[in-house]
Amino acid sequence: MTWLTVTAAVLVALVTVHSIVRAWWLERLHEMARATIPHDEPLRAILGRSLKSAQGEAVPASELAAYAGVTAAELLWHWATIDHSVIEAAAFSSTEPIHNGFDFAQYIHDHYDSLTEAGKQGFADRLMGYVGEQHVADLLADHSHAVTVADTSHQAVWDLLVDGHAANVKTVADIASIKADAAAHPHVIYYVPEDAHGHAADNIVQLAGFKHDAAAQAVHDSIDSAHGVLHHLPWVTIGFAVYRNYRAVQQGKDIGVAIHHTIAESIGRGTGVLVGAKTGAVIGTALGGPIGTFLGAIVGSITGGLLGNAVVNAYKQRPLMHALERLENALERFGATYANRIEEIRALARAPLQRMEDELRRIAETVDHRKHSWRWWLWPDFYTVLLEEAMAAGGRYLQRAREDAQAVESVLNDAVITRRYAKLGALMANCPMVRERLGCDEAALEAVYNAREEVLFQRKQLNPSLGTA
């Protein structure tokens, strides 16, 4: 091996080592340069956002399911607690079709609730009399008597035929109240409750198992349950509304607005769930009996809740919509003050972009010149790498600046074509440096700021988590 071979081998080894070390050092320089250059996103003007885009709080699906489930269960419970003998008594005494608890509840609503106190007592007494007739007929039949019930509730003198003999049922608390009637019809047997006060004699019989207090209680409880079906308060809805708005107040919601929203939600969503449950239950009953009732109540509750929620949200968003309308009007008036200065704004918007392009071009020339020197090949320096990274970051920033400039151009062109200046007003409200160059109507700008604060306030009332940002 000659000395030339050895020298060549050494040179190759040195070049290889130099390339490896140089590549490692160059990567380290790039890492240091990237750590030196800030990468925070620049603030960008919000130009394309619709003035009327706003979303209030949404009711979770779990909450709506709770409304539906609990409301349907409570309605069905009220229905189930209505004494069936009272329903049969009401059906017998009325010309209207009464087949179930909902029919009975509607019957009570139509014929009972509008009466005076005296009228309500008379209604209950008559209904109690028909309930007594049902009980007596069942008791006598259970004791092997042949019992025939009168075809109509207006049958004169007798209510039942017991083994072929006429009988009248009097659901009274005091026997003395019917003695005159019994004496006038000695051929008719008068059955009275076993707990009725007084002495039974002649054709008056106190029937064991027939109780005045039980009949009165059945009628009273059934009327209460009917009110539960038709006048049920949506406690679950109210509870959710109170809790949600209490939490919203803790997050910054105005307490007066929270109370107002609680009332609106309780009425709107509660009514939607309740009416939907009742309607669904009635339809379900007609189509599928008890199972159809339950499923109809659930489906109706959800449907009614969705409709009620839509109405409530529309109502709650009205203040925000009004505030947005005032903001748009304020922006329109402010933008109109620059209607004759659009070309100046265009020139001011283009100037920074041109300066950035010129600066990037100068940096690129400097980097290219430094990289063509023997010193760069021998050992890269930090300044050149820093310029190279700055050029890359500048290119990304320039692209965003071009997008912003294009958005500004779009706003200016729209103002020229449509002669509507709300977007131009929003642009100028967010460009203090341009306003400093061109001047502005301070009163019009103050109106924009006040309207914007009102919009932020109203948005926070709908969704406190938005804050004031």
Side-chain angles (χ1 to χ4, degrees):
M1 182 180 295
T2 65
W3 66 272
L4 290 175
T5 305
V6 173
T7 301
V10 171
L11 289 175
V12 169
L14 289 174
V15 169
T16 302
V17 171
H18 172 264
S19 297
I20 294 173
V21 175
R22 182 180 182 279
W24 171 82
W25 175 242
L26 188 60
E27 181 59 32
R28 289 288 298 144
L29 290 177
H30 277 285
E31 290 177 0
M32 289 187 291
R34 285 192 291 268
T36 302
I37 297 173
H39 289 273
D40 292 335
E41 287 288 332
L43 294 177
R44 307 180 67 183
I46 302 173
L47 299 172
R49 183 178 300 170
S50 169
L51 287 171
K52 292 193 175 180
S53 63
Q55 182 177 359
E57 57 192 347
V59 179
S62 58
E63 183 174 326
L64 188 58
Y67 292 168
V70 176
T71 299
E74 288 183 324
L75 289 173
L76 293 173
W77 168 253
H78 283 298
W79 183 354
T81 56
I82 296 177
D83 193 309
H84 191 68
S85 65
V86 178
I87 296 175
E88 290 182 349
F92 179 70
S93 65
S94 173
T95 58
E96 299 178 14
I98 302 175
H99 304 295
N100 52 49
F102 275 96
D103 292 342
F104 178 76
Q106 190 62 53
Y107 175 73
I108 292 297
H109 174 70
D110 293 340
H111 300 282
Y112 176 85
D113 291 344
S114 60
L115 298 174
T116 63
E117 289 303 316
K120 289 180 179 179
Q121 184 60 50
F123 182 99
D125 289 342
R126 287 191 299 274
L127 187 58
M128 187 169 60
Y130 296 123
V131 170
E133 291 176 15
Q134 299 283 338
H135 285 179
V136 169
D138 291 340
L139 284 171
L140 293 174
D142 290 342
H143 286 82
S144 301
H145 292 283
V147 180
T148 302
V149 180
D151 292 334
T152 70
S153 60
H154 305 296
Q155 175 66 46
V157 181
W158 61 273
D159 302 316
L160 309 172
L161 292 178
V162 182
D163 299 327
H165 299 289
N168 197 312
V169 178
K170 296 295 184 182
T171 312
V172 295
D174 191 342
I175 295 175
S177 64
I178 58 101
K179 279 190 173 182
D181 194 20
H185 303 91
H187 62 286
V188 178
I189 299 174
Y190 283 78
Y191 289 104
V192 297
E194 65 174 336
D195 56 350
H197 298 293
H199 178 66
D202 300 325
N203 59 336
I204 299 175
V205 177
Q206 286 182 288
L207 182 63
F210 175 33
K211 297 182 179 181
H212 173 273
D213 288 348
Q217 189 67 40
V219 170
H220 176 77
D221 290 347
S222 296
I223 292 176
D224 283 348
S225 293
H227 286 144
V229 172
L230 286 181
H231 306 296
H232 164 73
L233 281 175
W235 294 113
V236 176
T237 308
I238 294 172
F240 274 115
V242 170
Y243 176 73
R244 187 191 314 104
N245 283 282
Y246 169 74
R247 291 290 302 274
V249 168
Q250 291 182 317
Q251 293 178 312
K253 188 172 187 174
D254 181 79
I255 188 169
V257 175
I259 293 172
H260 184 72
H261 284 181
T262 299
I263 295 172
E265 291 167 19
S266 299
I267 294 175
R269 291 172 184 157
T271 300
V273 170
L274 190 59
V275 171
K278 293 173 186 174
T279 304
V282 171
I283 296 173
T285 301
L287 297 179
I291 295 178
T293 301
F294 179 74
L295 295 178
I298 292 293
V299 173
S301 294
I302 295 174
T303 303
L306 289 172
L307 293 175
N309 186 58
V311 172
V312 170
N313 281 343
Y315 174 77
K316 288 167 58 179
Q317 287 185 0
R318 286 175 60 188
L320 175 60
M321 294 300 102
H322 292 158
L324 286 167
E325 185 177 355
R326 288 192 293 271
L327 174 58
E328 188 166 11
N329 291 336
L331 288 171
E332 182 71 24
R333 289 191 295 270
F334 181 59
T337 63
Y338 292 96
N340 297 324
R341 311 192 71 177
I342 289 178
E343 293 308 316
E344 294 178 71
I345 298 172
R346 197 189 306 274
L348 290 172
R350 289 174 177 172
L353 185 63
Q354 185 62 51
R355 286 196 297 271
M356 282 187 285
E357 291 174 344
D358 292 344
E359 184 64 21
L360 273 179
R361 191 179 304 107
R362 188 188 64 79
I363 293 175
E365 292 172 355
T366 301
V367 169
D368 184 69
H369 175 74
R370 294 179 69 87
K371 280 189 172 184
H372 281 82
S373 68
W374 63 269
R375 283 179 294 185
W376 172 258
W377 178 86
L378 183 63
W379 196 245
D381 63 287
F382 179 71
Y383 181 66
T384 303
V385 173
L386 183 62
L387 288 178
E388 190 174 25
E389 286 292 336
M391 185 173 63
R396 294 190 295 270
Y397 186 84
L398 178 61
Q399 180 58 37
R400 292 194 296 269
R402 285 172 177 158
E403 293 172 3
D404 288 343
Q406 184 58 45
V408 171
E409 289 283 343
S410 176
V411 170
L412 298 177
N413 293 336
D414 182 74
V416 171
I417 295 170
T418 66
R419 296 188 180 278
R420 299 180 64 179
Y421 304 108
K423 291 181 180 180
L424 178 59
L427 172 66
M428 296 305 298
N430 288 285
C431 295
M433 289 185 293
V434 177
R435 293 201 308 271
E436 288 179 6
R437 295 285 299 274
L438 299 180
C440 77
D441 184 330
E442 295 294 339
L445 181 61
E446 183 67 20
V448 169
Y449 287 158
N450 291 339
R452 185 173 64 180
E453 288 300 316
E454 177 63 18
V455 168
L456 293 175
F457 173 80
Q458 294 298 342
R459 290 180 67 225
K460 188 175 182 181
Q461 304 318 300
L462 291 177
N463 193 345
S465 63
L466 293 175
T468 57

